Amino acid sequence: MDEHAARLHRLRWHCRRALLELDLVFQRYWQRVGDDVDAEQAAALERLLEMEDHDLWELVSGRCETTDPQLNGLVERLRQV
Amino acid sequence: MKITQRTFDAVIVGAGGAGLRSAIQLSESGLKTAVITKVFPTRSHTVAAQGGVAASLGNSEEDHWHWHMYDTVKGSDWLGDQDAIEFMCRKANEVVIELEHYGMPFDRTDAGKIYQRPFGGHMSNFGEKPVRRACAAADRTGHAMLHALYQRNVRANTQFFVEWMALDLIRGAEGEVLGVVAMEMETGEISIFQAKATIFATGGSGRMFYSSTNAFINTGDGLGMTARAGLPIQDMEFFQFHPTGVYGAGVLITEGVRGEGGILRNSAGERFMERYAPNAKDLASRDVVSRAMATEIKEGRGCGPNRDHVLLDLSHLDPKVIMQRLPGIREISIQFAGVDPIREPIPVVPTAHYQMGGIPTHYSGRVVAPRDGDPDAIVPGFYAAGECACASVHGANRLGTNSLLDLLVFGKSAGDSVIEDVASHPKSLPDLPANAADYSLSRLARLDGQVDGESVHEVQLALRRTMQDHCGVFRFPDLLKEGVSEIMAVAERVGRSGIKDKSKVFNTARIEALELDNLIEAAKATMIGAATRQESRGAQARADFPERDDINWLKHTLWYREDNRIDSRPVHLKPLTVDTIELKKRTY
């Protein structure tokens, strides 16, 4: 398995969260993108997954916004899945 | 395959509240302690607990542990063990204050004490009037608790094995537990964790239901391992349901929605709660509303193409009310039901929330299983705490805020018992049986070698559908009978499931297949327990046996994997120091 594929495998597991809401959002996200995640997107996802679950849900559900331009696109995508 | 062998004084499986609380006890006492966890500790499902933790601190008004004990026994519909309940309620203040000292940011009164608020079922003076007993950290109590416990473990040098999955218990010739076999997700490598003590704190199995509020990690792993090791699981028929989870997703819609005027409707648009609870209507208690919804669905008045849900209608409310007083609900509806509740009703179903049953334990956290006529015989080396365990303090029904208390008290208690047991048997580690990992390896080999295996996803879906349709909030004899045969058919399919991706690195497909092996054991215990228990008590509501039957069923159900054998243990009606809280009808 190449490094990028291993990275995506790890990311999929890191999308297992403490809150059902987030599990469902990330499940839909992976169904939508499959393995079509490039290095830049993977880096954004890694950073997003560092967040605490409640804060992440507030962001994904639109109750707050990120000031980080690199995360904007991903957050918008998660809101739409 | 190379098997690494690691040795510890104690190995804990699970790093939610119970596992972390046990680990503090052990590490601070100097025992070499390993914690194995599928996800990073602060991603455990304890994070989702919002309400608070019960303790009769009496900071806001007079309170007493004995009143708390009375409420818990009554809440349990007298199936809880009164010695364990007394133990928990008496220990509550101590564990909450310890948690405060660990840095838990509890809400405060103006005088600087821990602020307490009322919570359903918690009363003063033996059921007289509501009392403020719940200690909370805003609406993030579980999250704050988990962080405080984790930081304390870091200080105590607990050794974490993060993103490892325990696969099976190792038992010796005398039935004693000698450790676990576990897989490192990053490499797929298998290790033996040999230990003088093994504590399970693996959480619940709420994912067995199609509609569940539980996160994906809650697959009953501890229950599966326990059942496969030949030990019983107790009282699994008692599952707490919440009436309004979003259909198809399970995400909770708070009771506050009905409080603001939300109305439940069936396929004819009828406000059916008027028939079931003419006064309280949609605001009747959780179990009444859930059973009414299940009856509407069973009798063909459900909504949608499968007539399998009802509708929660808010469309008559002023949009401003929805936007201002129910923040979050609109986002949840749009995100998970695809409807804007300002214009359209939200599809909802009764949704599984908490598992009252589990691995039977003494209040010391030691696992018990009947042996040689002793219903409470200890399984040496084996301990359990939290939702995966059944002490039993919740009996047939759990009171809100008692789950966080359970994991603190019994997490600590299991830790203390390990310290005591290790000190009284100071000899070196017991010998492992030859080829201790063989059983786990054979399960992995079966999975990897399966030809034309059934999709894990499909089988898991069949499992969850079967449980929801046949063993939901209201249980009907015909559906239970069918349910038992169907869940056994699903179990056979689990044994034939396969994965296409055989890679080693973070292979989520393999992990999900192993989780399914666990979930099916919990599901069989639940379905068979529900079909066996011919009474209604707490969360077990049978249409054909509508009353509690203390003559025949005041006992704990035990389910064994081998031949689906059912046995029972007596309920401990005698508390530790006070008089028995005598049986009576549970009314509020």
Side-chain angles (χ1 to χ4, degrees), chain A residues 53-70:
Chain A
D53 282 337
H54 287 288
D55 297 335
L56 185 50
W57 172 241
E58 293 216 335
L59 186 59
V60 170
S61 66
R63 266 190 277 170
C64 69
E65 299 297 333
T66 173
T67 51
D68 184 336
Q70 285 178 307

Side-chain angles (χ1 to χ4, degrees), chain B residues 512-534:
Chain B
E512 286 174 352
L514 294 166
E515 288 176 329
L516 184 61
D517 278 352
N518 295 325
L519 200 60
I520 187 63
E521 302 304 339
K524 284 187 288 182
T526 303
M527 182 74 84
I528 293 165
T532 303
R533 183 176 285 273
Q534 296 185 336

Side-chain angles (χ1 to χ4, degrees), chain B residues 36-51:
Chain B
I36 296 174
T37 172
K38 291 197 290 188
V39 296
F40 192 78
T42 54
R43 307 263 184 272
S44 304
H45 195 48
T46 306
V47 163
Q50 296 184 341

Side-chain angles (χ1 to χ4, degrees), chain B residues 208-389:
Chain B
M208 75 169 74
F209 290 96
Y210 184 73
S211 193
S212 167
T213 68
N214 284 201
F216 289 3
I217 46 178
N218 290 19
T219 51
D221 297 336
L223 305 181
M225 289 186 272
T226 302
R228 284 194 299 275
L231 292 166
I233 308 178
Q234 178 170 291
D235 290 342
M236 284 296 290
E237 60 271 34
F238 298 101
F239 240 100
Q240 194 165 61
F241 282 74
H242 191 288
T244 53
V246 172
Y247 170 73
V251 179
L252 272 189
I253 301 284
T254 161
E255 259 121 357
V257 169
R258 280 170 286 138
E260 291 295 341
I263 290 171
L264 290 162
R265 297 189 190 280
N266 62 17
S267 58
E270 182 202 6
R271 183 182 192 180
F272 60 85
M273 281 311 300
E274 286 179 334
R275 275 188 280 119
Y276 296 90
N279 294 321
K281 295 176 187 163
D282 302 87
L283 290 174
S285 64
R286 281 183 184 181
D287 55 340
V288 171
V289 176
S290 293
R291 275 176 230 160
M293 291 166 70
T295 305
E296 290 299 298
I297 293 166
K298 164 86 160 79
E299 293 180 356
R301 293 186 293 278
C303 304
N306 297 324
R307 297 188 169 274
D308 56 358
H309 59 272
V310 298
L311 297 172
L312 178 57
D313 188 5
L314 283 71
S315 59
H316 54 287
L317 300 181
D318 183 339
K320 278 189 206 147
V321 170
I322 297 177
M323 307 284 263
Q324 287 168 6
R325 295 210 202 129
L326 302 168
I329 294 305
R330 188 163 174 244
E331 287 95 340
I332 285 174
S333 303
I334 292 170
Q335 179 91 265
F336 298 112
V339 301
D340 183 345
I342 289 174
R343 288 188 292 275
E344 288 174 86
I346 312 167
V348 290
V349 282
T351 296
H353 188 52
Y354 186 87
Q355 160 199 308
M356 266 79 71
I359 304 163
T361 64
H362 181 259
Y363 61 81
S364 63
R366 296 177 177 96
V367 173
V368 298
R371 193 177 59 236
D372 302 331
D374 176 6
D376 298 333
I378 301 288
V379 180
F382 193 23
Y383 310 76
E387 192 172 342
C388 76

Side-chain angles (χ1 to χ4, degrees), chain B residues 64-234:
Chain B
H64 197 279
W65 65 261
H66 200 183
W67 300 347
H68 183 191
M69 176 187 169
Y70 175 85
D71 298 337
T72 304
V73 171
K74 179 180 171 183
S76 81
D77 218 350
W78 276 267
L79 194 75
D81 286 330
Q82 295 196 19
D83 51 355
I85 294 174
E86 178 179 338
F87 182 82
M88 179 179 80
C89 296
R90 291 182 77 136
K91 284 274 184 189
N93 293 4
E94 172 189 316
V95 293
V96 165
I97 288 164
E98 273 168 358
L99 193 62
E100 184 184 27
H101 293 165
Y102 295 164
M104 169 88 174
F106 282 115
D107 296 341
R108 301 279 164 185
T109 65
D110 291 342
K113 291 181 172 175
I114 294 174
Y115 171 79
Q116 296 187 279
R117 59 188 180 204
F119 220 91
H122 290 279
M123 315 285 275
S124 69
N125 204 19
F126 305 102
E128 209 171 84
K129 61 179 177 29
V131 70
R132 283 171 277 178
R133 189 177 286 150
C135 313
D139 62 352
R140 292 189 181 187
T141 309
H143 167 92
M145 182 183 281
L146 213 50
H147 276 261
L149 295 173
Y150 179 64
Q151 290 306 327
R152 187 81 182 188
N153 270 293
V154 170
R155 198 181 93 158
N157 286 324
T158 302
Q159 194 173 347
F160 285 96
F161 290 82
V162 176
E163 291 162 350
W164 282 67
M165 183 176 183
L167 302 180
D168 284 293
L169 273 176
I170 303 169
R171 295 186 77 190
E174 305 296 318
E176 73 278 28
V177 168
L178 306 172
V180 292
V181 179
M183 180 179 76
E184 183 179 25
M185 294 182 187
E186 188 168 11
T187 58
E189 282 178 16
I190 303 297
S191 287
I192 287 173
F193 287 73
Q194 184 185 12
K196 295 172 187 168
T198 302
I199 302 180
F200 273 9
T202 53
S205 59
R207 292 308 301 170
M208 75 169 74
F209 290 96
Y210 184 73
S211 193
S212 167
T213 68
N214 284 201
F216 289 3
I217 46 178
N218 290 19
T219 51
D221 297 336
L223 305 181
M225 289 186 272
T226 302
R228 284 194 299 275
L231 292 166
I233 308 178
Q234 178 170 291

